[in-house]
Amino acid sequence: MTGGTRGLGFAIAKAFLAEGASVMVSARTAGDFQLLKSEYPDRCLFHPADVADPNSVERLMAATVEALGGLDVVVANAGVSCDGRIEDLEPAAWDAMVTTNLTGTFLCTRAAVPHMRDHGGVIINMSSSMASRIAVGAAGYSATKAAIEMFTRTSAIELGQYGIRVNALSPGILDAGMGGRLAENDRVWAAYRKRFALGRAGRVGEAAQAAVFLASADASYVNGAVLDVNGGLMWA
Ligand SMILES: NC(=O)c1ccc[n+]([C@@H]2O[C@H](COP(=O)([O-])OP(=O)(O)OC[C@H]3O[C@@H](n4cnc5c(N)ncnc54)[C@H](OP(=O)(O)O)[C@@H]3O)[C@@H](O)[C@H]2O)c1
């Protein structure tokens, strides 16, 4: 579970733990990990890793297999967003989004496959409603998420032969993490809140349940899909 120390990733880790899974939580820093550890002391571990670093990701997958005895599900959730109009966006900010969101997703799949090839598994990549919607200032973030969706579809085709299913989750605006931070800006929020068909932002727990579904046997024939969890989102 990459990026599992706060926001959406924390909620997904918690949902998998509630289902009885053993979970290796990862991020560069431990964040709120102790909250999970105190609730699930026996089935919850933390291993620091930077998803943009190939060696770090390989060490994470190996440490997971060693500690938990195998690797059944990978949730490639770690991501960053740096807003800015193209003419103002620093190349370093662009790089951070590409290397964390897109390269990080690729590196997680690449490092997971050797540990899943013999028995199958599930990979869930993290997209966003922004993958297919246009917003000023979000060119870099949207481009990485659109690329993650195509990477997911291609991965599903390549890895199906090993019994590895690969899908993406596409949340709208949620009440924690990046979405939660949007809600702190009254002016921005006034514009966004009109767009929700259900009249509210999503709860991270609601998106987490969709991740649990994708990992479960109930989704055994779902492969190469992008599952929207956005409550019905209208976008100009
Ligand atoms: N929240 C929403 O409304 C929403 C909506 C749609 C999609 N998403 C997607 O959901 C995912 C999680 O977002 P969030 O809202 O929960 O964001 P967040 O609260 O900022 O959490 C991001 C997580 O990713 C980790 N991370 C960042 N860079 C990393 C790196 N290079 N290597 C390893 N871990 C890294 C962070 O920990 P460290 O900084 O300690 O590494 C943290 O645990 C992202 O992919 C985001 O695009 C979120």
Side-chain angles (χ1 to χ4, degrees):
M1 178 72 237
T2 72
T5 54
R6 60 173 193 257
L8 175 55
F10 182 91
I12 296 175
K14 200 169 172 171
F16 275 84
L17 285 161
E19 291 289 327
S22 298
V23 180
M24 177 66 88
V25 174
S26 186
R28 292 166 301 179
T29 58
D32 291 337
F33 171 71
Q34 277 311 325
L35 295 176
L36 287 176
K37 185 75 181 166
S38 57
E39 203 170 338
Y40 299 98
D42 302 331
R43 290 191 280 115
C44 185
L45 297 166
F46 175 75
H47 185 93
D50 182 347
V51 296
D53 174 350
N55 295 326
S56 185
V57 177
E58 283 179 19
R59 283 195 297 271
L60 168 63
M61 298 301 169
T64 304
V65 170
E66 181 160 354
L68 303 180
L71 186 63
D72 301 316
V73 180
V74 168
V75 185
N77 161 80
V80 293
S81 173
C82 311
D83 292 344
R85 285 173 177 259
I86 294 158
E87 60 203 287
D88 303 322
L89 190 65
E90 290 295 334
W94 173 274
D95 275 350
M97 290 187 280
V98 172
T99 56
T100 308
N101 302 359
L102 181 55
T103 308
T105 299
F106 156 66
L107 292 176
C108 285
T109 291
R110 186 175 182 277
V113 169
H115 300 290
M116 290 180 161
R117 214 168 5 217
D118 291 341
H119 58 83
V122 174
I123 297 173
I124 300 170
N125 296 324
M126 195 54 67
S127 185
S128 157
S129 297
M130 296 300 292
S132 54
R133 290 173 177 80
I134 302 160
V136 169
Y141 181 73
S142 297
T144 62
K145 294 299 183 179
I148 285 170
E149 293 192 359
M150 277 313 294
F151 177 74
T152 298
R153 294 183 184 105
T154 310
S155 300
I157 299 302
E158 288 192 15
L159 303 179
Q161 63 182 311
Y162 306 125
I164 301 173
R165 294 188 293 108
V166 189
N167 294 292
L169 205 59
S170 177
I173 297 169
L174 305 175
D175 64 351
M178 295 175 189
R181 294 195 283 277
L182 261 186
E184 288 164 12
N185 182 325
D186 290 343
R187 191 181 54 79
V188 169
W189 197 241
Y192 273 94
R193 67 182 318 147
K194 296 182 194 137
R195 298 174 181 170
F196 303 127
L198 293 180
R200 62 170 177 84
R203 301 179 195 103
V204 281
E206 291 174 309
Q209 286 308 317
V212 169
F213 164 71
L214 286 177
S216 74
D218 289 342
S220 55
Y221 207 58
V222 181
N223 193 26
V226 177
L227 178 56
D228 285 335
V229 186
N230 61 31
L233 196 56
M234 296 167 277
W235 209 269

